[in-house]
Amino acid sequence: MYKTILSLLLIGLTGAAQARGDIEPLARTCNGCHGVGGVSASGPMPSIGGLPKDYLRQIMKQWKYGERSAITMDRILKGFSDDQIDDLAEYFSKQRWVPSPQAAPDAVLAKGKTAASANCRDCHGLTGNDPDVGVPRINGQWARYMELELMKYRSGEFKMTHRKMKQAARDMKPEDVSATARYYGAQSK
Amino acid sequence: MNSIDRRSFLKSLTAASGAAVLSIPSALASNPKARVVVVGGGFGGATVAKYLRQLDPGIDVTLIERETRYTSCPLSNEVLSDSRDIKTLQTGYERLARRGVKMVHAEVTGIDPVGKKVTVTDGTTFGYDALVVSPGVDFNYAAIKGLTQEISDTQLPHAWKAGAQTLLLKKQLAAMPDGGRFIIAVPKGPLRCPPGPYERAAQVAMYCKHHGKKKAKILILDSNDSFSKRPLFEEAWKALYGYGPTGMIEWVSGSSGGIVEEVDPTGMTCRTTFDEHKADVLNVIPPHHAGKIARTAGLTNSGAWCAVKPMDLESTAHKDVYVIGDSCVGGEVSTGNGFPKSAHMANSQAKVVAASLVAKFNALPAPVPVYTNTCYSVVDHDWGFSVVHLFRVENNQWVYIKEGSGISPVTIGTGKAAKPVPRIHRKIEAQYAAGWLNNLMADSFG
């Protein structure tokens, strides 16, 4: 039994994944920036473990094929096959979502909550933990990362594919962006 | 063990917070299935020790490292500009110890690849089934006339190992008068941290710009004729600090007289093939080679560096000895796409070796290796960029995957439609750099 588990750990989860190359070693290359199990240790980099499979798959493929702008990930993903991207999406979607709640002053949280109710709640939920199907959870996601992502949606310099998200981000008042990111970043559950 | 569900087992192994609590069958804990000794506790050594324990707690892992604290070289140039406290780059080995890595703080004096044992300063020996050597680099001070280790430590710091020399260089920069000359002497490659000297020039310029030294000159005397991320650096230098003979930053290539051959610490001068240069701060980075222990152990069969095998980084000189990090040479060297000597590369190599050893000790098929690198450079508070590398192994040879590699773009679009990359890209990458460092340290030492 121990051997079976080790074998799974070392070379991947399914026969199909093995045929495409080992998923575990491949997934481990992501840890350097996204943390072990996709739990990031630092603000500017998002946690990715436990996000919806379709979301992860779609976003990685859009970056790979230049349909969506990224700054670093697009270069990295061009070296991966579509099958490897599918396997990585599956692998990370099966990890546990671990929020990294970050403290923020009450006034910021209150301001963020109001803006979140108006702009984000429909899809991500009010605490970020009960999103629509296929929408990423953002409770305890890193605030700094969310702020940078909102900056990309709002700037007009980036090709962003999700129309509703683009609209919602652009509807936000400039002074609410940081507070909203920090509000969701503070949510532990 | 039978009742363990695979997913929860996976989760416990990959849990990020705290040490993974595992129910280890007692037979495994008391009678290790293999002993692995790791020499050197930098990014490479720490990562291999951590992942060995994480993937198979039945393996006994001893990490031998001289120091009790480690200082990250990546982003240590930010210490020079005062934008980062050196403490943010430092870590201990407590978290590795909690994972069951046996920490030994001593210097390795000998490796016996036949008797398969390692000896440290006080004579203690450690037997191994596999040895991972990750000693980083050592410097060839004698290659530059007039330079010794003592002069380097006290007067002409290289600051190419982060720590005391970084702080000395910072002090010298702070004391430099306005209008002073800061010379960075770059050795012939391959060198540790290929973009490092050029990031340093920018960080020094940043300091001068904001600390009343706007007339300072930063002169890079380079033994090479080109450098990593060059178009990105040149764009940034020009926009931020002025670049060229009249700018704050100037670069002299090897073929136009950049090779520093001699230094005089008393007169504060250095001599190149063509000229003599006077400096207020002389940052001389000597040529380097694989860490001393790799040389004394006969692992440097590739001249200054250690040749290793593509599948698992086993030394081509000695069986059951693996060399990772800055000391090894790999990648597609023939096309100029060798492994960069970077922390992220060492981290990636360490994971390959850990997975390969665990497979070997459990009589499982060897995993397919993949080698990756991501490296950020920061040239101003809100200006950063990166390079990524991807290598696979095909037919037992490294293959550089061009499609999955490359520097941050300089322009967007092609031909006449090409326009400069919007400034916001650089701004975001400066943020990513900080996130990358923290995650890389957590992944390696956490």
Side-chain angles (χ1 to χ4, degrees):
Chain A
M1 181 62 191
Y2 191 70
K3 205 169 205 178
T4 314
I5 293 167
L6 268 172
S7 166
L8 286 166
L9 279 170
L10 281 169
I11 59 172
L13 306 176
T14 64
Q18 276 182 42
R20 295 164 181 177
D22 309 342
I23 186 61
E24 281 283 342
L26 199 63
R28 228 170 270 141
T29 65
C30 310
N31 295 3
C33 295
H34 292 285
V36 178
V39 184
S40 170
S42 182
M45 299 292 185
S47 290
I48 55 171
L51 295 183
K53 184 166 86 177
D54 288 344
Y55 165 78
L56 289 172
R57 186 170 56 196
Q58 194 185 32
I59 198 168
M60 286 194 280
K61 286 197 179 153
Q62 288 172 343
W63 283 331
K64 173 178 170 177
Y65 291 108
E67 292 157 14
R68 180 184 179 121
S69 302
I71 292 178
T72 314
M73 286 304 295
D74 51 345
R75 278 176 280 148
I76 293 173
L77 285 164
K78 285 185 176 69
F80 289 71
S81 72
D82 286 359
D83 286 346
Q84 285 176 320
I85 289 176
D86 289 346
D87 292 344
L88 285 171
E90 183 173 351
Y91 173 86
F92 282 106
S93 72
K94 283 182 173 164
Q95 307 298 311
R96 192 159 55 98
W97 173 251
V98 181
S100 307
Q102 307 128 64
D106 287 346
V108 170
L109 294 176
K111 192 177 176 183
K113 189 174 183 178
T114 306
S117 292
N119 300 294
C120 320
R121 177 184 203 155
D122 274 2
C123 300
H124 291 282
L126 190 55
T127 65
N129 193 28
D130 54 345
D132 257 3
V133 177
V135 173
R137 268 184 278 199
I138 52 173
N139 58 310
Q141 178 59 282
W142 289 96
R144 196 75 196 102
Y145 153 73
M146 290 189 281
E147 227 182 303
L148 294 174
E149 223 33 43
L150 283 167
M151 213 159 97
K152 282 167 68 182
Y153 274 107
R154 292 165 61 86
S155 85
E157 301 277 14
F158 293 86
K159 219 185 317 177
M160 303 304 269
T161 48
H162 201 287
R163 275 179 292 184
K164 201 170 171 190
M165 180 66 203
K166 197 151 67 181
Q167 193 56 51
R170 288 179 186 175
D171 285 347
M172 290 173 82
K173 288 185 234 151
E175 65 270 26
D176 285 343
V177 171
S178 172
T180 309
R182 293 181 73 185
Y183 163 75
Y184 278 115
Q187 305 306 312
S188 58
K189 289 187 184 116
Chain B
M1 217 54 191
N2 289 340
S3 62
I4 284 187
D5 148 83
R6 181 185 53 77
R7 272 191 69 188
S8 66
F9 186 81
L10 253 174
K11 277 178 193 165
S12 73
L13 274 178
T14 52
S17 52
V21 181
L22 286 169
S23 151
I24 307 160
S26 55
L28 286 178
S30 58
N31 184 22
K33 69 179 72 160
R35 297 160 306 161
V36 178
V37 173
V38 181
V39 176
F43 280 96
T47 306
V48 78
K50 168 183 167 169
Y51 274 86
L52 280 168
R53 292 292 301 165
Q54 193 180 54
L55 292 173
D56 186 353
I59 297 175
D60 182 283
V61 180
T62 302
L63 173 57
I64 309 177
E65 159 61 39
R66 206 162 32 200
E67 311 290 337
T68 54
R69 303 275 298 163
Y70 183 76
T71 306
S72 159
C73 273
L75 297 191
S76 64
N77 283 327
E78 289 188 337
V79 173
L80 302 176
S81 66
D82 234 358
S83 44
R84 178 181 283 278
D85 188 322
I86 199 164
K87 288 196 189 82
T88 64
L89 299 170
Q90 293 170 332
T91 179
Y93 295 93
E94 302 78 16
R95 287 169 296 172
L96 290 181
R98 279 203 293 274
R99 288 181 181 276
V101 174
K102 293 174 182 165
M103 290 302 308
V104 175
H105 292 292
E107 181 153 1
V108 173
T109 52
I111 291 171
D112 172 5
V114 180
K116 295 177 101 170
K117 58 178 194 278
V118 168
T119 309
V120 300
T121 330
D122 70 2
T124 313
T125 60
F126 299 85
Y128 64 78
D129 298 300
L131 174 68
V132 184
V133 181
S134 184
V137 299
D138 272 309
F139 300 95
N140 181 10
Y141 298 99
I144 296 171
K145 204 173 162 199
L147 188 67
T148 62
Q149 182 169 354
E150 199 200 333
I151 289 169
S152 181
D153 283 340
T154 54
Q155 291 170 277
L156 311 180
H158 51 67
W160 221 236
K161 264 184 191 175
Q165 286 213 4
T166 312
L167 296 174
L168 174 61
L169 190 60
K170 177 185 160 73
K171 211 170 125 188
Q172 291 179 343
L173 171 61
M176 186 174 87
D178 190 15
R181 279 160 76 85
F182 189 110
I183 290 182
I184 305 173
V186 185
K188 185 105 185 108
L191 65 149
R192 155 180 281 187
C193 188
Y198 318 97
E199 180 191 55
R200 175 168 292 175
Q203 289 284 331
V204 169
M206 191 207 307
Y207 180 84
C208 292
K209 190 174 165 181
H210 300 294
H211 291 80
K213 301 181 203 290
K214 285 188 179 157
K215 285 180 275 175
K217 182 83 185 177
I218 296 128
L219 184 63
I220 308 168
L221 296 175
D222 205 326
S223 301
N224 305 284
D225 282 336
S226 194
F227 54 91
S228 170
K229 304 178 186 166
R230 181 171 173 182
L232 293 164
F233 277 114
E234 291 188 327
E235 178 191 51
W237 289 342
K238 205 170 148 192
L240 293 164
Y241 310 114
Y243 172 46
T246 56
M248 192 187 267
I249 296 177
E250 189 175 347
W251 176 71
V252 182
S253 71
S255 54
S256 23
I259 304 171
V260 170
E261 295 175 336
E262 187 176 351
V263 292
D264 171 11
T266 317
M268 283 301 278
T269 56
C270 65
R271 201 174 51 73
T272 66
T273 334
F274 304 156
D275 297 298
E276 190 170 81
H277 297 271
K278 180 129 182 64
D280 295 274
V281 179
L282 207 38
N283 171 210
V284 184
I285 307 165
H288 30 289
H289 50 73
K292 197 172 82 188
I293 188 65
R295 304 193 113 189
T296 50
L299 296 164
T300 48
N301 46 3
S302 177
W305 311 103
C306 307
V308 289
K309 298 174 187 169
M311 280 302 283
D312 57 5
L313 304 179
E314 186 179 29
S315 161
T316 58
H318 295 307
K319 201 177 169 314
D320 297 320
V321 179
Y322 302 78
V323 187
I324 60 172
D326 293 349
S327 277
C328 77
V329 55
E332 226 180 75
V333 179
S334 60
T335 61
N337 294 298
F339 281 166
K341 299 192 183 301
S342 77
H344 199 134
M345 198 75 229
N347 166 283
S348 175
Q349 291 163 356
K351 290 171 186 170
V352 167
V353 172
S356 153
L357 287 177
V358 171
K360 185 180 163 189
F361 294 135
N362 289 282
L364 292 164
V368 176
V370 54
Y371 300 94
T372 60
N373 176 54
T374 302
C375 157
Y376 289 90
S377 301
V378 181
V379 293
D380 197 359
H381 294 293
D382 63 351
W383 192 313
F385 39 74
S386 62
V387 63
V388 301
H389 293 90
L390 174 66
F391 300 90
R392 293 193 219 288
V393 178
E394 286 166 20
N395 303 318
N396 222 20
Q397 295 291 320
W398 282 292
V399 182
Y400 170 67
I401 309 294
K402 195 166 170 269
E403 296 73 29
S405 304
I407 61 171
S408 306
V410 180
T411 52
I412 284 184
T414 48
K416 281 184 183 161
K419 52 173 191 162
V421 164
R423 185 69 176 73
I424 189 173
H425 283 241
R426 310 290 185 237
K427 200 170 168 175
I428 292 177
E429 283 210 289
Q431 298 272 328
Y432 285 175
W436 157 78
L437 175 80
N438 291 348
N439 269 305
L440 191 60
M441 288 193 76
D443 188 33
S444 305
F445 297 88

